[in-house]
Amino acid sequence: MVTETSKEKTHPGDGNVIISVDAMGSDRGPSSVIAGMAKCRDANPNIGFIVHGDSAQLKALLNRRDDLASVCEIRHADDVVTMDARPGHVMRNGRNTSMWSAVDAVRNKEATAVVSCGNTGALMAVSMTRLRRLPGVDRPAIACLWPSHNPGGFNVMLDVGADIRANADDLMQYALMGASYARTGLGLERPRIGLLNVGAEEHKGRAELRAAHDLIDQAAPDAGFAFVGFVEGGDIPSARVDVIVTDGFTGNIALKTGEGTAMLIRKFLRTALGRSPLSRLGALLAAKSLRGLHKAIDPRHMNGGVFLGLNGTVVKSHGAADATGVAAAIRLAFRLAQPEFTERLAAQVASCGRARHDAGNDHNADGESE
Amino acid sequence: MVTETSKEKTHPGDGNVIISVDAMGSDRGPSSVIAGMAKCRDANPNIGFIVHGDSAQLKALLNRRDDLASVCEIRHADDVVTMDARPGHVMRNGRNTSMWSAVDAVRNKEATAVVSCGNTGALMAVSMTRLRRLPGVDRPAIACLWPSHNPGGFNVMLDVGADIRANADDLMQYALMGASYARTGLGLERPRIGLLNVGAEEHKGRAELRAAHDLIDQAAPDAGFAFVGFVEGGDIPSARVDVIVTDGFTGNIALKTGEGTAMLIRKFLRTALGRSPLSRLGALLAAKSLRGLHKAIDPRHMNGGVFLGLNGTVVKSHGAADATGVAAAIRLAFRLAQPEFTERLAAQVASCGRARHDAGNDHNADGESE
């Protein structure tokens, strides 16, 4: 490992949107991260990168990619945050990691958004410490995209794992943040928000959910979203809503349950189509359409959990993401890397904060994160 | 509606396993319930029924089915529990409903198990009142079958909606009850139990989950199951576990998320295969295999939530179940209608209850149910 901390100053490109990329967190090593950056650069001439990690490795990987290298600054970091690192340990000892350096590029306004494949808990801890929460935000949240029956093909769900707890005020803030995300990320002017519960009737669910129901309902007219009330698990991919609000425990379980179900059905489909010569021929004829289906339900194409509620945009890519997955996360970061996104989100939370009641508010937001 | 309460004494069949069926709760009316019973009777000569509801309607429906009528006793009930009825209201005013009558047939030892398509909350309330909890059980649970990568094709998950809360002791009892279900329902001698959480590491999740982890771990050797520790949402359909333990809020969301995801993918598959003449031809050739796939992920074939922890077996069928769905629920009731099932489950809970600590135990079990 190279020991000196050097700044390889090249030229991320004047006027380009600069994305800061942690190249070292991925299970597949930096090569898949660089390959994902190259895919994005090929498709988008307005993108530039600051890439963080072991400069010798990164230089070697960029050597073969002149086009990417021309818009890419390498920033050396000695250390890497491992997948099993505890967030508290990284906060105390992580100054020399590529993750820390990547987040600091957003803190220092050198980049508009950061992408990392690293450990979720550590990335959230470093992001909270270095970027700080937006004024009025008690708990940041992680938002994911979910394939849906809606015309745009995706719904947003949050929180999917930033914090296992959320009180009524937190859930109300998630509604505001999710609405901002849907406006910028999905291009929806007036997103429809649903609150996840075990039934659609207003008397159902835990007390904090009923309180959140009333808070979100009151906030909806001024915040420019429509509140559809309680929704159930089956509504997450539905065309009834654009944004599903829940606590990070439930959201994480739902997300992984959906992924697990999709994987099970893909396996069943493969087995079914390989069963007889006739069905193998059928599968061959329908191959193009089936590839379209696999793409529609392929988790790689919706890769990227967005941390909302911080002074800057942070996108967490899946640790096992390949080039396609990393490219999806970078594209998402690019779409959200509009200065108005964070500003508008902050304004929304602040204006609602003035109106909302403070009773029972929990300001301890450095709790357990996933 | 017929007003007198009559007992149409026919002959459910000597030596047969008698299933008590509430014919009136279904969204589709009693005809689909009777059709489901007929399917089961055709496939299983050892089954008999006591069927509860409007005797005029039921007589008319049975008129055309001599074979079924010969093993079917009609028991008239004036009232029906509606889908939007509050459980408390049904407990106070439900004596003349077909649901109450159906549960009472198990209470009176005339039938070994009861099947109803009615309102879940009301069915749980009536079952708790009339059958009573097993000694030592604080909260009964609803267990469902989940298609899985395991050789048997199914995993068990509980609780999926009996109660939105569960403390560490409740979760430990769910593990015992789920193990009994897997032994009798899936034929597994030593089921593997997993506790649902947001990560597999032991320090993750809420405090009651970490406490439940230790309780279940301690109970495993004597209770004859293997404890695999924490599992994540993606493990619910996996071959790592046979039984997934969680609280009724999380379980209900996961169940409905899985169903919603399966429905989304079915729609995508249909769209993909109809896209071009070539893929339509391919789908035609693979039609038989695709039917097999649809059957494997068709929620109707795994219909039936089982209420565990009561003095008797109660199976809740989906309200919208057609004949195929009702037949699946009745088959499940038949499989669990072995007197040893409830007895062994009771013995397991009792022997573990003697060992487990009582601190923090919540004996209020008439709380909100779904």
Side-chain angles (χ1 to χ4, degrees):
Chain A
M1 194 171 270
V2 184
T3 48
E4 96 278 36
T5 301
S6 62
K7 285 200 179 184
E8 310 281 337
K9 197 75 192 174
T10 47
H11 19 260
D14 291 334
N16 282 351
V17 173
I18 309 300
I19 309 291
S20 174
V21 179
D22 169 14
M24 306 306 285
S26 160
D27 297 350
R28 296 170 183 249
S31 66
S32 66
V33 177
I34 298 289
M37 288 162 59
K39 266 179 186 268
C40 285
R41 169 62 187 171
D42 290 347
N44 184 343
N46 301 317
I47 200 165
F49 297 101
I50 307 174
V51 61
H52 309 257
D54 182 87
S55 65
Q57 280 189 62
L58 296 179
K59 251 190 260 181
L61 288 166
L62 281 170
N63 238 347
R64 284 167 279 155
R65 303 178 186 269
D66 284 348
D67 196 41
L68 175 61
S70 71
V71 292
C72 197
E73 177 189 331
I74 296 174
R75 204 160 284 182
H76 178 75
D78 278 337
D79 292 343
V80 175
V81 174
T82 57
M83 272 298 170
D84 56 356
R86 298 281 288 253
H89 178 84
V90 177
M91 276 169 75
R92 286 187 301 276
N93 307 295
R95 276 188 174 64
N96 297 324
T97 61
S98 57
M99 182 187 281
W100 192 289
S101 174
V103 171
D104 264 10
V106 172
R107 178 188 163 103
N108 302 334
K109 312 273 187 225
E110 298 168 287
T112 329
V114 51
V115 175
S116 172
C117 300
N119 173 330
T120 308
L123 183 60
M124 180 53 94
V126 171
S127 301
M128 291 239 284
T129 316
R130 303 305 292 164
L131 302 180
R132 299 264 157 210
R133 285 171 278 156
L134 287 175
V137 169
D138 293 318
R139 289 186 211 267
I142 305 177
C144 75
L145 291 174
W146 194 292
S148 83
H149 295 282
N150 270 319
F154 291 105
N155 289 349
V156 170
M157 183 162 80
L158 76 168
D159 175 25
V160 296
D163 200 309
I164 55 171
R165 294 155 304 183
N167 63 27
D169 283 309
D170 297 328
L171 292 168
M172 204 268 282
Q173 294 192 342
Y174 294 173
L176 296 171
M177 301 196 294
S180 290
Y181 183 9
R183 248 178 245 119
T184 306
L186 303 181
L188 302 171
E189 205 175 316
R190 193 179 152 77
R192 294 158 304 162
I193 313 279
L195 182 59
L196 193 60
N197 198 352
V198 293
E201 301 88 344
E202 290 187 18
H203 65 271
K204 286 206 167 168
R206 304 192 189 111
E208 79 265 23
L209 280 176
R210 294 195 300 272
H213 182 285
D214 295 346
L215 286 177
I216 298 173
D217 200 27
Q218 285 156 23
D222 286 341
F225 62 76
F227 181 49
V228 303
F230 288 135
V231 295
E232 301 187 68
D235 294 315
I236 299 175
S238 83
R240 280 190 61 209
V241 279
D242 303 301
V243 178
I244 297 95
V245 168
T246 187
D247 65 274
F249 184 89
T250 312
N252 184 277
I253 302 261
L255 174 64
K256 290 178 178 166
T257 302
E259 287 175 353
T261 307
M263 277 170 57
L264 182 78
I265 296 176
R266 284 174 68 171
K267 188 190 142 189
F268 283 171
L269 180 62
R270 231 183 354 257
T271 310
L273 292 176
R275 195 160 283 148
S276 71
L278 211 58
S279 59
R280 280 195 291 275
L281 177 62
L284 208 62
L285 294 177
K288 200 179 154 204
S289 301
L290 289 173
R291 270 199 304 276
L293 167 74
H294 281 301
K295 199 173 161 185
I297 61 173
D298 185 344
R300 293 182 306 165
H301 290 281
M302 56 208 99
N303 183 36
V306 180
F307 293 3
L308 297 173
L310 301 168
N311 291 297
T313 299
V314 180
V315 176
K316 161 70 176 86
S317 164
H318 200 286
D322 59 6
T324 303
V326 171
I330 294 173
R331 268 199 305 277
L332 184 59
F334 183 86
R335 219 178 317 145
L336 298 177
Q338 305 174 17
E340 311 90 77
F341 172 53
T342 300
E343 279 167 26
R344 282 191 196 148
L345 196 158
Q348 202 98 83
V349 171
S351 89
C352 235
R354 282 192 292 276
R356 90 196 144 92
H357 77 117
D358 269 345
N361 229 349
D362 176 9
H363 286 275
N364 167 25
D366 57 353
E368 292 163 82
S369 58
E370 203 256 330
Chain B
M1 193 172 267
V2 184
T3 47
E4 97 276 37
T5 302
S6 62
K7 285 201 181 186
E8 311 281 336
K9 198 73 192 174
T10 46
H11 19 261
D14 290 334
N16 282 350
V17 173
I18 309 300
I19 308 292
S20 174
V21 179
D22 169 14
M24 306 306 284
S26 160
D27 297 350
R28 295 170 183 249
S31 65
S32 66
V33 177
I34 297 289
M37 289 162 58
K39 266 178 185 271
C40 284
R41 169 62 187 171
D42 290 346
N44 184 343
N46 302 317
I47 200 164
F49 297 101
I50 307 175
V51 61
H52 309 255
D54 182 89
S55 66
Q57 281 189 62
L58 296 179
K59 252 190 257 180
L61 289 165
L62 281 170
N63 237 347
R64 284 165 280 154
R65 302 178 186 272
D66 283 349
D67 197 41
L68 176 60
S70 71
V71 291
C72 198
E73 176 189 333
I74 296 175
R75 204 160 286 181
H76 178 74
D78 278 336
D79 292 342
V80 175
V81 174
T82 56
M83 271 299 167
D84 56 358
R86 298 281 288 253
H89 178 85
V90 177
M91 277 170 73
R92 286 186 302 276
N93 306 295
R95 278 188 171 64
N96 297 324
T97 60
S98 57
M99 183 187 281
W100 192 290
S101 174
V103 172
D104 264 10
V106 172
R107 177 188 162 105
N108 302 334
K109 311 272 184 226
E110 299 167 287
T112 329
V114 51
V115 175
S116 172
C117 300
N119 173 333
T120 308
L123 183 59
M124 180 53 94
V126 170
S127 301
M128 291 239 284
T129 316
R130 304 305 292 164
L131 302 181
R132 299 266 157 207
R133 284 171 280 157
L134 288 174
V137 169
D138 293 319
R139 290 185 210 267
I142 305 177
C144 75
L145 291 173
W146 194 291
S148 84
H149 295 281
N150 271 320
F154 291 105
N155 289 349
V156 170
M157 183 162 81
L158 75 166
D159 175 26
V160 295
D163 201 310
I164 56 171
R165 294 155 304 184
N167 62 27
D169 283 310
D170 297 328
L171 292 168
M172 204 268 283
Q173 293 191 343
Y174 295 173
L176 296 171
M177 301 195 295
S180 290
Y181 183 8
R183 249 177 244 119
T184 306
L186 303 180
L188 302 171
E189 206 176 317
R190 192 178 153 79
R192 295 158 303 162
I193 312 278
L195 182 59
L196 193 60
N197 198 351
V198 292
E201 301 88 345
E202 290 187 17
H203 64 271
K204 286 206 166 170
R206 305 193 188 109
E208 79 264 24
L209 281 176
R210 296 195 299 273
H213 183 285
D214 295 346
L215 287 177
I216 299 173
D217 201 28
Q218 285 156 24
D222 287 340
F225 61 78
F227 182 48
V228 303
F230 288 135
V231 296
E232 300 187 69
D235 294 316
I236 299 176
S238 83
R240 282 190 59 208
V241 279
D242 303 302
V243 177
I244 298 95
V245 169
T246 187
D247 65 273
F249 184 88
T250 311
N252 184 277
I253 301 260
L255 174 64
K256 289 180 178 165
T257 302
E259 287 176 352
T261 306
M263 276 170 58
L264 181 78
I265 297 176
R266 284 174 68 172
K267 186 190 144 190
F268 283 170
L269 180 62
R270 231 184 352 257
T271 309
L273 291 176
R275 196 160 284 148
S276 71
L278 211 59
S279 59
R280 280 195 292 274
L281 177 61
L284 208 63
L285 294 177
K288 199 178 156 207
S289 302
L290 288 173
R291 270 200 303 277
L293 167 74
H294 282 302
K295 198 174 162 184
I297 62 173
D298 185 343
R300 293 182 306 167
H301 290 281
M302 55 209 98
N303 183 37
V306 180
F307 294 2
L308 297 173
L310 301 168
N311 290 298
T313 299
V314 180
V315 176
K316 160 73 175 85
S317 163
H318 200 288
D322 59 7
T324 304
V326 172
I330 294 174
R331 270 198 305 276
L332 184 59
F334 182 86
R335 218 178 319 145
L336 298 176
Q338 305 174 17
E340 312 90 76
F341 173 52
T342 300
E343 278 167 27
R344 281 191 197 149
L345 196 158
Q348 201 99 83
V349 172
S351 89
C352 236
R354 283 191 291 275
R356 94 196 141 92
H357 77 118
D358 269 346
N361 229 349
D362 177 9
H363 286 275
N364 168 24
D366 56 355
E368 291 165 82
S369 58
E370 203 257 334

